[in-house]
Amino acid sequence: MNHPIDTYKFFFGALANPNRLQIINILRQGKKNVGEICKATGFEQTMVSHNLKVLEHHGMVFMEKQGKYRYYSVNKKTIKPLLEFIDAHMEEYCCKILEKKR
Amino acid sequence: MNHPIDTYKFFFGALANPNRLQIINILRQGKKNVGEICKATGFEQTMVSHNLKVLEHHGMVFMEKQGKYRYYSVNKKTIKPLLEFIDAHMEEYCCKILEKKR
DNA sequence: ATATCACATGATATTTTTGTCATATCATGA
DNA sequence: TCATGATATGACAAAAATATCATGTGATAT
């Protein structure tokens, strides 16, 4: 875990999960607490909490306590441009692949 | 597999593997055939071939036949800036995490 | 003080991903 | 045509990631 390769694995591993990506996607609209995320995604609370923990641990979302609520927000500086970057890659190199539902 | 979320999962999934990342890393030096990749990484041929297939399928490397050799090259337009981008993110948000070997 | 709501944590079974083994293909040269 | 070298493919066991279940913690209100 000090080789740069592990660093990338660490980073991409956190994003290689559709539920975490969906949570990120919801948070792109603005900060939300756990209950709101559950409602918006239809996911169970414990699953959301586990995945938020991973995302937070990777610096991809931030957390802020407010009474008994915990508000999560996406790391806009990093994540937003990253997703846009990938949109461009997918558009150019992967559209055909995706059409035939891999 | 038509929701944008699946698109991201598709993308990140391909990169969330240390052996594939190492292959990409080797290819950053320039195009190489399978045997050369094996030698450079110490990986077995079948494993390298399987992983190259994944990377090619995702538009992250390109392949070019030359006689009985197959030369692979990294998609520099996408991969290089992506890795640099992640370096910056890791530097800013994940350095402490990585130091204590997660 | 205690009940309740919001959320986190730990353990584990299940799913997914991965590497390996055996084998196939494809190109080249004898 | 056959042998050999280079690489790909398929099947499957092992490893890793994940969701779920049960339970724990912390804040607020009564």
Side-chain angles (χ1 to χ4, degrees), chain A residues 22-45 48-49 52 64 66 68-73:
Chain A
Q22 183 133 4
I23 290 170
I24 286 177
N25 203 39
I26 290 296
L27 290 178
R28 284 167 97 182
Q29 299 168 204
K31 72 177 56 174
K32 286 200 173 5
N33 64 45
V34 179
E36 290 169 336
I37 296 170
C38 291
K39 201 170 226 173
T41 56
F43 297 157
E44 284 204 63
Q45 179 262 313
V48 169
S49 284
L52 282 170
E64 188 186 337
Q66 250 178 61
K68 54 179 174 174
Y69 299 96
R70 294 191 180 199
Y71 281 84
Y72 287 86
S73 56

Side-chain angles (χ1 to χ4, degrees), chain B residues 46-78:
Chain B
T46 59
M47 191 261 262
V48 169
S49 284
H50 276 302
N51 282 319
L52 282 170
K53 191 181 182 183
V54 174
L55 292 172
E56 190 187 9
H57 186 234
H58 287 74
M60 289 163 184
V61 307
F62 304 122
M63 191 265 282
E64 189 186 337
K65 291 187 188 180
Q66 250 177 61
K68 55 179 173 174
Y69 299 96
R70 294 193 181 197
Y71 281 84
Y72 286 87
S73 57
V74 77
N75 179 345
K76 282 189 183 167
K77 190 170 161 193
T78 294

